[in-house]
Amino acid sequence: MKKAVNKKATITWLMVLACLLVLAGCGNNAASSPESTNAAPASSSGPAASAAPAASGTLTLPEAVKERGKLVVGVKVDYPPLGYLDENGENAGYEIGVVRKMAEYAFGDPNAVEFIPVNATNRIPYLTSKKIDFIAATLGITEERKKQLDFTTSFFDGGAVTVVPQDSEITSIPDLAGKKVIVIKGSTGSTYLEENVPTAEQMKIESNADAFRALKDGRADAMFHDAVLMSEFIKTSPEYKIVGEQVAFAPMAMGSRKDEPEMLNFLNDSLERMRQEDYFKVLIEEYLPKAGDLDPMEMIPRP
């Protein structure tokens, strides 16, 4: 009788041990399963979210954009060499090349994009009202703009410079105090003067063409604006010169609507792929081989 009891006890303990081993195995499998490891996806709310390209080599677009079959993008048309209309009236420039490459990634066609002209004043309203998918219009990264949209990673970096007539006595930014200075309304250059040379009398103009016209008409003592654009300007207007240092550096990025992580991820993944392919160098060599004393290669992401 005693042997029978011991035998039953042995069998019972063996069954318990077997169950414990099975449960332990199930726990290990759960910990290493794809569902478990991906249960908390990476945050996509910040500008650096999903900076690396998708592992599969494909880029995911929002479903509505995918069904439409093209990107709709707000761009500059008066900002050579970044975004402008060429002699045939076609969109051209560094930013245009970046957007076309994105269209190629998305649809296999660099022309699968509709360019919507915007300026510094209306580009963010166009975005928030959904007239465009994203902004690619010389958009500098600022804390104030972060409240209104999500920035991608930076794909260009430049500052602002002072341009004056050749016979001007202005030689530096502090000399702008008490002077009439042309700026683009809503630009980082305008903000810089407000904070650092508050006594400068700003003449705020919306378009670059009107700003250049005002400068040539002698309606102001100087123009304070983007270094790249002003370097292009003095190439064709030798009666003007750049003076003083380059300031108000603002990394330039694209802007997407808040709470649209899929679009932000697509943009960041595309920009990272271009960086790895050194495609920004290709565009700079095409559109900005030289800009005064500026080194264009220092303005772009490289591998």
Side-chain angles (χ1 to χ4, degrees):
M1 186 69 177
K2 187 176 182 179
K3 287 183 178 179
V5 171
N6 289 341
K7 186 175 181 180
K8 288 181 179 180
T10 301
I11 292 172
T12 300
W13 280 111
L14 287 172
M15 291 176 66
V16 171
L17 180 61
C19 288
L20 289 173
L21 289 172
V22 169
L23 289 172
C26 290
N28 288 339
N29 288 339
S32 61
S33 68
E35 290 80 9
S36 176
T37 56
N38 294 331
S43 170
S44 59
S45 61
S50 300
S56 64
T58 59
L59 301 171
T60 303
L61 277 169
E63 194 60 36
V65 178
K66 190 187 305 181
E67 291 179 2
R68 186 204 300 144
K70 67 177 179 180
L71 304 173
V72 179
V73 189
V75 299
K76 290 289 185 70
V77 294
D78 62 347
Y79 214 107
L82 301 180
Y84 62 98
L85 298 179
D86 63 17
E87 61 275 10
N88 298 316
E90 300 292 330
N91 291 93
Y94 176 84
E95 286 186 309
I96 304 303
V98 171
V99 173
R100 289 195 187 280
K101 195 67 171 178
M102 287 180 167
E104 183 180 322
Y105 288 155
F107 305 107
D109 180 4
N111 296 313
V113 54
E114 179 181 351
F115 294 111
I116 304 297
V118 297
N119 56 42
T121 303
N122 66 20
R123 56 191 170 184
I124 293 179
Y126 270 42
L127 177 69
T128 55
S129 63
K130 298 188 176 181
K131 292 181 180 179
I132 55 178
D133 296 326
F134 59 92
I135 300 170
T138 64
L139 187 67
I141 300 174
T142 68
E143 291 303 315
E144 184 61 30
R145 290 172 185 160
K146 285 180 182 179
K147 299 174 184 177
Q148 305 174 71
L149 51 79
D150 282 338
F151 284 105
T152 65
T153 53
S154 173
F155 66 107
F156 193 82
D157 194 358
V161 294
T162 306
V163 168
V164 297
Q166 286 285 359
D167 60 356
S168 174
E169 295 182 357
I170 295 173
T171 61
S172 64
I173 292 172
D175 293 340
L176 297 177
K179 300 292 195 300
K180 287 186 179 180
V181 184
I182 297 167
V183 297
I184 299 301
K185 185 177 180 180
S187 67
T188 53
S190 175
T191 301
Y192 177 88
L193 286 184
E194 288 173 359
E195 295 175 351
N196 295 275
V197 192
T199 59
E201 185 182 338
Q202 292 192 38
M203 181 183 296
K204 299 181 179 181
I205 299 177
E206 291 200 358
S207 77
N208 289 313
D210 289 342
F212 291 140
R213 191 173 300 111
L215 181 63
K216 291 199 169 188
D217 287 345
R219 285 184 272 156
D221 301 298
M223 182 168 173
F224 188 72
H225 197 26
D226 177 79
V228 173
L229 186 62
M230 299 315 294
S231 294
E232 289 293 301
F233 170 74
I234 63 172
K235 286 180 182 178
T236 56
S237 304
E239 66 272 28
Y240 295 91
K241 61 183 178 181
I242 292 176
V243 296
E245 61 181 329
Q246 183 179 184
V247 296
F249 283 95
M252 199 171 73
M254 294 182 176
S256 69
R257 278 182 292 277
K258 284 189 170 296
D259 302 318
E260 291 190 3
E262 199 167 23
M263 176 57 77
L264 183 63
N265 289 346
F266 166 76
L267 297 175
N268 276 326
D269 289 351
S270 297
L271 293 173
E272 173 61 14
R273 183 177 295 184
M274 288 181 222
R275 186 192 68 79
Q276 292 181 2
E277 296 173 356
D278 212 8
Y279 187 66
F280 298 118
K281 178 176 180 289
V282 174
L283 292 176
I284 279 293
E285 288 176 340
E286 178 178 358
Y287 291 109
L288 190 60
K290 186 179 180 181
D293 294 330
L294 304 176
D295 182 1
M297 292 303 164
E298 294 180 353
M299 300 178 176
I300 58 172
R302 302 292 304 278

